[in-house]
Structures are given as structure tokens and as C-alpha cells.
Amino acid sequence: MSLTDEQLINRIQAGNRSALGMVIDRYQGLVFTICLKVLGSREEAEEAAQDVFLKLHQRARSFRGESRFTTWLYTLAYRTAIDHQRQTRKHRRMQSELEVDVAAKDLGTPAKAEENLIQAEQRTQLKHLLNGLRQQDAMIVELFYLQEQSVKEIAAILNMSVSNVKTKLFRAREKLRKLKQPGIRSDV
């Protein structure tokens, strides 16, 4: 039986280390992707992701359940990555290109395989287009479309107003339409 996020965070708050391991297993890819988007370097993203889970362990008691656990975790990941970025900026300039870690996706049943492959291809194409956006705009699009976060959750993660997120998401969509290459669905 798989535990819910709320059950896991309750166990972490009670000092259960195996629950922390389960959260790490469940969310390490997503946390790494957020860190990678902000930092642009695989090595720095790995270090930041480790720091995120260390902070999760240290700050688990501060999670009050006012938002979803994933919103709280993504916020922690984003802010930790920004802190790393500030530290790194002091020592050297940011790398110009972002690497994208495309995780292998389970294709499911044969009937769903084609649909899943099409969706995976569209996600890959969207990730390539995101390189044409400003960093924050790319993060908003990624959180909304690829991580399936709500506008309200994105606002909390990025410490922005809901209306600002909506505006940036609209403008990012417009820019993506201009950058769009043939073969990418127009409903992106």
C-alpha cells in the first residue's frame, strides 16, 4: 500500500527516516528538474537537490498543511536553487544553455502506448521551446504544463501573485506560439 504525501510528511515530522526515504524516491526527479531549470548545471542541480531534501528533513515540522505537500516541496526546491544560483553567481557567470533531463516514461498498456508516445514527444518539444523563454517564464510554463501545478500553487512556489502568474503564463504562451516549429500542436 502506497502512503499519501500527507501520511509521509506526518511520519517524517514524527522522526521516521524511512518515510523521508520514500519522499526522496518519489520526488527526487521532480526536485532535480526544478533545480536544473534554475541552475543550468547538472552538478549544481544535484547538489541543490540534496540540499532540498536535507532542508526537508530539517524543516518538516514547519509544514502546516495549508497547501499541498508538493507545493511546499516545489517552493523549497525553487528557493534552494535560487540560493545556490546566487552563491554560484559570485564565483562565475551562469551557463547559457539549460540541460533537460527527460525521464523515461512508462508507456502503460499497448492501447495507451501510442498516445503516451505522442504526449512524450510533445513534452520533449515543449522543453526545447522553453529554452527560448526567460528563465522565470520557462519555469512557470514547466510547472503548469509539465508538473501540472495550478496557477495558485505556482504563485506560492514562485512567491508571486496569482494575477502575475496568469499574465506571465499568457505571455509565455504567446511567445511559444511565435517560436513554435511545425509539428507542435497549437493548443500548447
Side-chain angles (χ1 to χ4, degrees), residues 84-94:
H84 271 263
Q85 184 183 53
R86 287 182 186 133
Q87 293 168 1
T88 302
R89 199 179 296 157
K90 292 176 186 175
H91 301 291
R92 62 187 160 114
R93 297 174 71 175
M94 285 181 53

Side-chain angles (χ1 to χ4, degrees), residues 50-61:
Q50 288 176 357
D51 286 349
V52 169
F53 290 111
L54 180 61
K55 287 180 181 181
L56 167 65
H57 177 67
Q58 295 168 342
R59 299 179 186 175
R61 293 188 194 280

Side-chain angles (χ1 to χ4, degrees), residues 46-163:
E46 288 171 353
E47 184 178 326
Q50 288 176 357
D51 286 349
V52 169
F53 290 111
L54 180 61
K55 287 180 181 181
L56 167 65
H57 177 67
Q58 295 168 342
R59 299 179 186 175
R61 293 188 194 280
S62 70
F63 177 71
R64 295 181 299 274
E66 295 169 356
S67 63
R68 288 188 343 187
F69 171 73
T70 54
T71 301
W72 183 78
L73 180 61
Y74 291 166
T75 301
L76 185 62
Y78 180 74
R79 291 182 180 165
T80 300
I82 292 295
D83 288 344
H84 271 263
Q85 184 183 53
R86 287 182 186 133
Q87 293 168 1
T88 302
R89 199 179 296 157
K90 292 176 186 175
H91 301 291
R92 62 187 160 114
R93 297 174 71 175
M94 285 181 53
Q95 296 177 354
S96 62
E97 292 185 22
L98 297 176
E99 295 176 5
V100 178
D101 182 31
V102 180
K105 184 176 181 179
D106 180 18
L107 296 178
T109 65
K112 291 284 248 170
E114 184 176 354
E115 180 182 333
N116 288 338
L117 283 171
I118 291 169
Q119 288 176 351
E121 176 63 24
Q122 289 170 342
R123 286 175 178 254
T124 301
Q125 290 175 346
L126 177 59
K127 286 182 180 188
H128 289 299
L129 285 175
L130 290 177
N131 290 329
L133 298 177
R134 290 188 313 231
Q135 179 182 330
Q136 189 177 56
D137 294 343
M139 179 62 71
I140 290 170
V141 171
E142 172 141 350
L143 287 170
F144 188 77
Y145 287 106
L146 302 179
Q147 305 301 333
E148 298 178 358
Q149 297 290 306
S150 71
V151 170
K152 185 177 179 181
E153 291 168 330
I154 294 169
I157 291 167
L158 300 178
N159 197 25
M160 301 170 73
S161 69
V162 170
S163 62

Side-chain angles (χ1 to χ4, degrees), residues 5-16:
D5 290 342
E6 289 73 23
Q7 291 170 324
L8 287 173
I9 192 65
N10 288 337
R11 289 182 180 191
I12 292 169
Q13 289 171 334
N16 184 325

